[in-house]
């Protein structure tokens, strides 16, 4: 478990394989519960931890006190992102290849946490989150800070068929073909679209870590499909301080 520094008033923490799987679908319930408990204890989280279902969509949920109370230990259905200005709640997302994106508004002390899969990235879920932050907290894209965590980078995001987004003009710079294999740069595309809506390039931090490459550290759904490696998820947790 480690803490990421994006801003002094924001806690971002990241687990890895050494903290165990935290998704109830892939390990016995008691084991996942224990792994989660250790992480929450390490972060000193005696607070509500809010999660979404994660269906690879583009819906972003506004987390107010009512929602946070309604969903402790449950997942908000059909959603892949959350925005909040609650200081009592933490937001958590589960990962293995999809991109965790954190958006922080230091002026209005509000945060967004997004799980961006390939479908979510095409639908620009991160921009849906910015619109929600603008509507609810009066956030300005130019003031936002952004962090992209470990994800499947273009080295490992490959396909033998032409990718779906090949027809979309804004994706052209992020698709390449080497020896009949297509490579897709999802984090690159996300960063480009953040900049296009006014997020300052110098306010964007990309971890550049590839879940596909580093099998000791990260769970990877793609690697799990290709090898006998067991499936699992690591987490990103954010909390306003
Ligand atoms: Zn890679």
């Amino acid at each position: 478990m480690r803490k990421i520094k994006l801003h002094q008033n924001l806690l971002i923490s990241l687990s890895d394989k050494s903290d165990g799987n935290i998704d109830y679908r892939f390990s016995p319930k008691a084991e996942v519960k224990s792994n989660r408990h250790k992480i929450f204890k390490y972060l000193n989280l005696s607070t509500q931890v809010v999660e979404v279902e994660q269906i690879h969509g583009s819906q972003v949920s506004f987390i107010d006190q009512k929602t946070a109370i309604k969903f402790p230990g449950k997942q908000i259905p059909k959603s892949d992102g959350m925005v909040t200005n609650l200081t009592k709640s933490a937001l958590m997302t589960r990962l293995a290849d999809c991109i965790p994106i954190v958006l922080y508004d230091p002026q209005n002390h509000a945060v967004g946490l997004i799980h961006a899969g390939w479908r979510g990235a095409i639908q620009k879920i991160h921009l849906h989150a910015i619109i929600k932050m603008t509507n609810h907290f009066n956030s300005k894209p130019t003031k936002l800070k952004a962090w992209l965590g470990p994800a499947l980078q273009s080295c490992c995001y490959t396909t033998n068929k032409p990718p779906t987004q090949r027809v979309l003009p804004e994706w052209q710079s992020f698709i390449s073909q080497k020896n009949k294999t297509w490579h897709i740069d999802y984090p690159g595309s996300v960063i480009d679209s953040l900049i296009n809506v006014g997020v300052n390039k110098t306010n964007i931090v990309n971890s550049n870590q590839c879940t596909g490459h580093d099998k000791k550290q990260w769970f990877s759904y793609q690697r799990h499909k290709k090898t006998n490696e067991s499936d699992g998820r690591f987490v990103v947790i954010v909390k306003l301080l």
Side-chain angles (χ1 to χ4, degrees), residues 46-61:
S46 55
T47 187
Q48 295 148 339
V49 181
V50 189
E51 287 179 75
V52 284
E53 186 181 0
Q54 300 184 193
I55 57 160
H56 293 95
S58 60
Q59 189 168 309
V60 177
S61 300

Side-chain angles (χ1 to χ4, degrees), residues 45-232:
L45 287 180
S46 55
T47 187
Q48 295 148 339
V49 181
V50 189
E51 287 179 75
V52 284
E53 186 181 0
Q54 300 184 193
I55 57 160
H56 293 95
S58 60
Q59 189 168 309
V60 177
S61 300
F62 167 56
I63 310 299
D64 57 6
Q65 192 54 37
K66 209 173 125 192
T67 314
I69 289 169
K70 195 176 165 190
F71 288 98
K74 290 184 256 170
Q75 296 167 0
I76 298 172
K78 293 181 181 152
S79 181
D80 277 83
M82 294 165 275
V83 298
T84 195
N85 62 355
L86 295 177
T87 50
K88 282 183 183 168
S89 294
L91 311 178
M92 177 165 94
T93 192
R94 310 172 302 281
L95 301 141
D97 293 343
C98 294
I99 316 167
I101 306 168
V102 176
L103 298 168
Y104 177 60
D105 172 356
Q107 278 189 323
N108 299 291
H109 201 37
V111 68
L113 178 63
I114 299 121
H115 163 261
W118 71 270
R119 289 187 191 88
I122 292 175
Q123 294 173 72
K124 297 191 170 58
I125 183 174
H126 41 293
L127 303 191
H128 290 255
I130 290 181
I131 290 167
K132 278 252 150 117
M133 291 178 77
T134 302
N135 288 343
H136 288 286
F137 315 123
N138 200 27
S139 300
K140 305 268 184 297
T142 49
K143 303 291 179 193
L144 290 178
K145 288 183 171 289
W147 176 78
L148 279 73
L152 205 60
Q153 308 286 334
S154 62
C155 43
C156 293
Y157 214 125
T158 58
T159 166
N160 294 325
K161 293 180 199 158
T164 313
Q165 57 273 58
R166 199 165 63 115
V167 294
L168 300 170
E170 74 266 31
W171 277 87
Q172 298 310 311
S173 316
F174 306 101
I175 301 170
S176 56
Q177 200 181 11
K178 286 175 205 155
N179 306 323
K180 293 183 182 171
T181 302
W182 297 85
H183 292 256
I184 313 167
D185 180 6
Y186 282 98
S189 159
V190 165
I191 290 169
D192 185 60
S193 56
L194 289 174
I195 293 169
N196 282 340
V197 296
V199 180
N200 201 323
K201 197 175 177 179
T202 55
N203 282 342
I204 303 173
V205 178
N206 183 7
S207 75
N208 269 322
Q209 287 170 294
C210 183
T211 47
H213 254 84
D214 190 347
K215 67 176 178 184
K216 274 191 185 157
Q217 199 161 17
W218 312 115
F219 291 107
S220 165
Y221 176 66
Q222 290 295 332
R223 206 173 51 240
H224 155 73
K225 277 202 305 184
K226 289 176 189 165
T227 67
N228 289 327
E229 190 179 315
S230 57
D231 208 357

